[in-house]
Amino acid sequence: MRHIFLLSIFLFFLSSCDKDESSEFVDGFDRSSMLTNWVDNIIIPSFIHFNNSLQNLDQAVDDFIENPNAMNYDELSNLWLDSYKSWQHVQMFNINLAEDIEYQEKINTYPTDTNLIHDNILQSVSNLNNDENETAIGFPAMDYMLHGLDIDKNSIIEQYISSNSAENNKNYLKDIIKSMIAISSQVSEDWNSSRISFINSTDNTATSSLNKIINDYIYYFEKYFRDGKIGIPSGMRSGGMIQPTTVEALYKKNVSKDLTLEALLACKNFFTGNSTNNISSGVSLEDYLNYLPTSSENNLSQDITDQFNDIETSLNNINQTFYDQIETDKWVLVDVFLEMQEMVALLKTDMLGALNIATDYTDTDGD
Amino acid sequence: MIVSYLEKRTKSHSLAIYRFFFGLLMFFSLCRFWSKGWIDSLYIKPDFHFSYYLFEWVKPIGDWTYVIFIIAIISSLFVCVGYKYRISIIIFFISFTYIELMDKTTYLNHYYFISILSFLLIFLPAGSSFSIDSYLAKKSYNTVPKWTVDSLKLLISIVYIYAGLAKLNSDWLLEAMPLKIWLTSRYHFPIVGETLFQYDWFHYFMSWAGILYDLMIPFLLFYSRTRLFGFILVIIFHLLTKVLFPIGMFPYIMIVSSIIFFSPKFHFKIIMFIKKFIYNLLFFLNIQKNNIKNSLEEKDYFFKYHKSVLLIISLFFIIQLIFPFRYLLYPGELFWHEQGYRFSWRVMLVEKTGFTDFKIVNPANKNNFFYVDNSNFLTPFQEKQMSFQPDLILEFAHHLGDYYSYINKDIEVYVDNYVTLNGRKSQRCVSNTVNLYDEKESFKNKKWILPLNDEIKGL
């Protein structure tokens, strides 16, 4: 009893000491190196890649505006897809400035509001970077401007040559890409400047970057990846009514699956720690789960990896555009949804349980 | 022997000082609760509230909920200073208990402790001395029946010992769960976070020390020779839990509660100390003080309805002793199905995370279904709590069934529910093949809860 007593006093004394910075490792997991891997090998390179793709897209827009022909149109459409794919690797990092300025809403809110777009075109609205225009900018708006303005390619190109609003259409196209570049460079800059504080914020608290990025990863997977891409269009998360017009890239149509596969790869890379261009593989959640006693015993990281593969397999069962698939046989998409659902269960129960991370909402007492 | 025990008397100071601290602590607890904005975020913001079975009529009343808190806060102050004590403690008991019954999401053992403690205090003459009541009536009761003070000690002992007994299980003793998960995840604590908290032996040490503490502390406090040691342990233990876990006011409540175990002499000293402080304060504020001193007539307190009060108190304790064992009436693993889990001093026993999505199905065509977005109905906190507690899942399923019955009044509600328990792999808890909209809440065994694929041995 006396030993317990003395030890308790000792412990109490220790735990009431002032916080200091010298927390040296004895046998703990190096969370800082996980954050370093994420920011240096995944987040910042993905932003560089994305910003470059936007620059290319911007050039293609200029070329097309100057000379609206079929060749320039194809080039523009291809670069739009390249950039859209590249975007799938940055959307999930919705913390700090990105969250504050509603970055992902401004880049990828779909379905886009075609009425608002036409109003803007008509009134030559050029300042688009505000909350009211979130449904009229970004990739979905560009998708409409490039693939939905008219019934086919030639008539769409005509919209930029001889229609009454040709000039305004050109301007609007340019304004969209301008606003995307502007906010993207802002967010990139924010990541560059907050890199050090990001890496060092490894505490298990609701506001640490470690917890924020993991919570956000799961939130992204559930709300934007599962629901946005599959759940809502298939009716699974929209009251049972199929909603084919809510698919991503509605006007281009045949690329929804590519974008979803790209986003899946991004989710997987974040989990395994692989860099986007596959150059390096560093410390990540996979290693963390293998380190923690309960999840390593349960082989959790293997389960999650397997589930990523199951999602990919189910996605590859889709042989037509999401839009057509939903109209003809939504069950192929429902299967994808159910696979994603199983993943959400793994992430929200086993992974969050093993990490025991402080969530951002419960600040009430426990007992 | 029992009769002679019931006639034993003790100084009234012990009850008085307990009343004083209890009221004061409740006052600060409720103010703290308010200042954190929890009245708004827990009781006013949510559209839906989880109710206790048979208490479905207890709901927050919009902005008027603040009035309930004001009533509880004022009555706690009245209890503290002993003004209209009996009616104040009754009002406090009712208002506080009402608050706790408003939403099951926020259930905490220590809130329940406060509720039953204030119920017990209704019957104890805690306002008979060192109170405004006795000052105004110009009489102070010098002694009270000894059992009144002992009943408080008994209640506190029950809390500790039952909390200790509940830890007599294989998860706690042999796996050091859930402390292993909790301690390792507090790696950011200075010095000990990356060292002690990561050691396996330390998790076992803390588990075993914790259960020893719970089982022994009432005895240590009871005997005068070990009392000081016990009290120091109480302070260390509760401050330690305070540092480690987000448990709010609970540590302070338990620390202050253990003061009741000290001798009446010691309680008298505290009272004299507080009195002196008040006199000095009054003097400092230039308020007349000469008429306060020694003008009280001293008497002994006797219950008007001694037998009825004794009957109520005895019944109260019999229920307290039996109620936590009601889980034996349900088959299966208590930590998993949670039938009979609450109101039983099961503290810090389980680490659960859950995932629960609801599926609305058209019975005419089972292929016609969709999933509900919980966040359209629940706050993130409610969703988290609901996700691993079967009775909350059932209640919410019924709410969804009612809501979506505009589509079809025969609608069926199914659930995709996975739960982890103390580091085990997640598995389905509520069955995904049972239409929950057809199941009714009751005290009967919930057959739609799937068994845990494992066994936890022990109590």
Side-chain angles (χ1 to χ4, degrees), chain A residues 196-351:
Chain A
I196 299 291
S197 61
F198 178 82
I199 289 170
N200 289 326
S201 175
T202 58
D203 287 1
N204 188 358
T205 58
T207 52
S208 71
S209 32
L210 180 70
N211 287 11
K212 275 200 294 190
I213 196 113
I214 294 174
N215 276 326
D216 225 69
Y217 172 67
I218 295 172
Y219 190 77
Y220 166 80
F221 193 97
E222 191 177 9
K223 300 285 171 196
Y224 295 93
F225 185 61
R226 182 195 63 180
D227 291 356
K229 295 185 198 306
I230 307 287
I232 293 170
S234 66
M236 284 295 99
R237 295 290 274 192
S238 53
M241 307 297 283
I242 56 161
Q243 304 206 9
T245 57
T246 62
V247 296
E248 196 173 25
L250 169 68
Y251 301 99
K252 177 73 176 152
K253 279 205 176 58
N254 59 359
V255 298
S256 307
K257 178 171 146 186
D258 295 340
L259 294 174
T260 307
L261 281 169
E262 201 66 36
L264 178 68
L265 177 66
C267 291
K268 208 167 150 181
N269 282 341
F270 181 79
F271 179 75
T272 56
N274 285 351
S275 64
T276 310
N277 43 19
N278 255 325
I279 294 173
S280 65
S281 173
V283 186
S284 190
L285 282 173
E286 188 179 33
D287 309 271
Y288 196 11
L289 292 178
N290 289 338
Y291 160 80
L292 289 168
T294 61
S295 50
S296 65
E297 220 170 276
N298 294 338
N299 247 330
L300 179 57
S301 68
Q302 188 57 49
D303 287 357
I304 292 176
T305 311
D306 291 348
Q307 195 56 38
F308 272 124
N309 293 336
D310 289 352
I311 295 172
E312 193 173 340
T313 310
S314 68
L315 265 170
N316 282 324
N317 288 335
I318 303 171
N319 294 319
Q320 38 187 332
T321 67
F322 280 10
Y323 186 92
D324 292 337
Q325 186 71 64
I326 292 165
E327 294 256 285
T328 54
D329 177 13
K330 71 166 180 176
W331 295 102
V332 188
L333 246 80
V334 171
D335 281 345
V336 180
F337 178 85
L338 294 176
E339 294 292 352
M340 291 173 164
Q341 179 83 339
E342 271 185 48
M343 182 66 111
V344 175
L346 279 175
L347 296 178
K348 286 182 101 172
T349 59
D350 295 81
M351 186 167 97

Side-chain angles (χ1 to χ4, degrees), chain A residues 11 25 31 202-204 210 223 236-237 239-240 294 298 303 331 337 341 349-350 356 362-363 365-367, chain B residues 32 38 108-109 177 185 187-188 196 246-247 351 353 355 357 367 369-373 381 423 425-426:
Chain A
L11 287 179
F25 275 101
R31 292 164 200 87
T202 58
D203 287 1
N204 188 358
L210 180 70
K223 300 285 171 196
M236 284 295 99
R237 295 290 274 192
T294 61
N298 294 338
D303 287 357
W331 295 102
F337 178 85
Q341 179 83 339
T349 59
D350 295 81
N356 199 236
T362 34
D363 73 332
D365 296 338
D367 75 357
Chain B
R32 169 179 174 270
W38 289 345
L108 289 182
N109 284 293
M177 282 290 186
S185 71
Y187 54 80
H188 58 276
L196 273 186
I247 46 180
E351 166 60 30
T353 37
F355 165 75
D357 259 4
N367 274 339
F369 65 87
F370 65 92
Y371 283 89
V372 176
D373 189 348
F381 178 58
K425 242 184 165 118
S426 69

